[in-house]
Amino acid sequence: MTSAPASAPPASPGSTPAIRTLLALAAAVVVLAGVHLMADVLAPVFLAAVIVIICHPVRRPLEERGWPRWVATTAVVVVAYLILAALLAMLVFAGFQFAGLVQNYFSQLERSVNEIAQQLSALGLDAQITEAATSALEPSRLLSVAGSVSGMVLGIATAFFFVLAYAIFMAADAARYATASRYFGSTHAGQIDRATRFSTGVRRYFVVNASFGAVVAVIDGVALGLLGVPAPVVWAILAFVTNFVPNIGFILGLVPPAIMAFVVGGWPLALAVVAVYCVVNVVLQVLVQPKFVSDAVSLSLTLSFMSVVFWTFVIGPLGAILAIPLTLLVRALVLEGDPRTVWLRWLSGDVVDPDDEPGPAPARGSAARSVTVQDPDEADTTADTTADTTASTDTGTTADADEPAVPAGGDDRTPTT
């Protein structure tokens, strides 16, 4: 005899995995559309939050020495301001230097563009292909970019003003949030642990990138100076900043100095610059740095690359630098709080324990409902056995009925003495 559980009733259409996935994607589109529309407001907020997270460890040794909390908060704000001031100074210096280079080398750049067009035409390429290849190097276009540098610097300065204001408030609130485990450690330990892991991952990511970026910038700047490329400090700053852009930062930092080298020294100097960048940047940024970044944030290379494109589209150019922190934030809020998404975390590159994933839920009512399946011969045997049992039961019942019944309280006759 075998027993087979009855099939569970069909789930309602609103609870199927496909419907839940579509609803989640629709909600994500609505949220991201709102973030895109408010990018001018949210991008400085994200940058200020990242700066405060990076500087927050400054508070710990001061409080351990018994310093007042407001002094520790002031120290965090001062360190954050110093970092922002250094970034702003580098961007302003590099921007104005680039504008001056374009104006000083305008005639040489125009001549170089014409030479490139003639060489491409000599190779038999179509005129449209030649025009498309040289349009990006049009002197008039580069001159307009150089002329708009002052406006860009003004916009950056305005954004940094909001960042400075946000940093004060966030640093003050961070002092209060640091005590969350003391009050809610027993009831909200999971949420506090996720926030701690997120903050630690952001700090490790920027420390690793800043360290490798400084090394790459120094080597590139010295090499460009020895090769005779104009303004090597500008290109060193560019190499440092683009190092915070995952995967494609190497290309962004290579193109401008290679173009300037071609304008000054032709193809030999341009190829020498490309060779130096390939040796230095590929070894450090492509072979060595991803290993440290992977250990710091546990993100796959594909997700790292896609996050740059995605967040740049959502919040603008600042999204390229904040791509990894924002991706870590989404993973902490959406995936890490749900044990059913352990496999999604694993796909994203996170280190997970497969035992954390819950097993498949049993079908509802399967233990309570069962159907007996019998063979025909077994069914006949069971029927005969049932009939014999029923007959025996009836006979016993009849015999019992012939005997006098005893009242529940016993015999009514009381013995006499």
Side-chain angles (χ1 to χ4, degrees), residues 372-399:
T372 302
V373 181
Q374 296 176 325
D375 295 334
D377 296 337
E378 185 179 0
D380 295 338
T381 304
T382 304
D384 295 340
T385 304
T386 304
D388 295 341
T389 303
T390 304
S392 301
T393 303
D394 294 341
T395 303
T397 304
T398 305

Side-chain angles (χ1 to χ4, degrees), residues 135-268:
S135 60
L137 301 177
E138 284 290 337
S140 58
R141 177 174 297 183
L142 294 178
L143 189 62
S144 63
V145 172
S148 63
V149 166
S150 59
M152 294 170 58
V153 171
L154 180 61
I156 293 174
T158 303
F160 269 73
F161 171 77
F162 288 105
V163 172
L164 295 177
Y166 295 148
I168 296 177
F169 306 138
M170 291 182 180
D173 290 336
R176 181 170 177 265
Y177 296 154
T179 62
S181 59
R182 185 188 310 168
Y183 298 102
F184 304 101
S186 59
T187 57
H188 296 77
Q191 294 88 332
I192 296 174
D193 182 61
R194 292 199 301 271
T196 303
R197 288 200 306 268
F198 166 71
S199 302
T200 303
V202 170
R203 279 193 291 268
R204 289 178 178 176
Y205 169 74
F206 278 101
V207 167
V208 170
N209 274 15
S211 302
F212 278 92
V215 174
V216 169
V218 171
I219 296 176
D220 289 344
V222 172
L224 294 176
L226 295 176
L227 292 174
V229 179
V233 178
V234 175
W235 312 129
I237 294 175
L238 181 63
F240 176 77
V241 175
T242 55
N243 190 70
F244 290 95
V245 181
N247 302 315
I248 61 175
F250 161 66
I251 304 298
L252 299 177
L254 169 62
V255 173
I259 294 175
M260 185 56 61
F262 175 77
V263 171
V264 175
W267 287 111

Side-chain angles (χ1 to χ4, degrees), residues 43-121:
V45 173
F46 293 148
L47 179 60
V50 168
I51 295 295
V52 172
I53 289 174
I54 295 173
C55 301
H56 184 73
V58 176
R59 170 191 308 278
R60 189 172 304 139
L62 299 180
E63 292 182 346
E64 290 178 353
R65 291 188 176 96
W67 290 32
R69 179 180 296 182
W70 67 269
V71 175
T73 301
T74 303
V76 173
V77 173
V78 169
V79 175
Y81 279 15
L82 291 177
I83 294 176
L84 294 172
L87 292 176
L88 182 60
M90 288 191 299
L91 292 176
V92 171
F93 174 78
F96 282 105
Q97 287 291 321
F98 174 74
L101 286 174
V102 173
Q103 294 177 359
N104 294 335
Y105 290 91
F106 181 82
S107 58
Q108 298 182 26
L109 182 60
E110 187 175 14
R111 184 169 57 252
S112 299
V113 171
N114 294 331
E115 291 178 359
I116 294 176
Q118 294 175 2
Q119 293 174 2
L120 294 177
S121 300

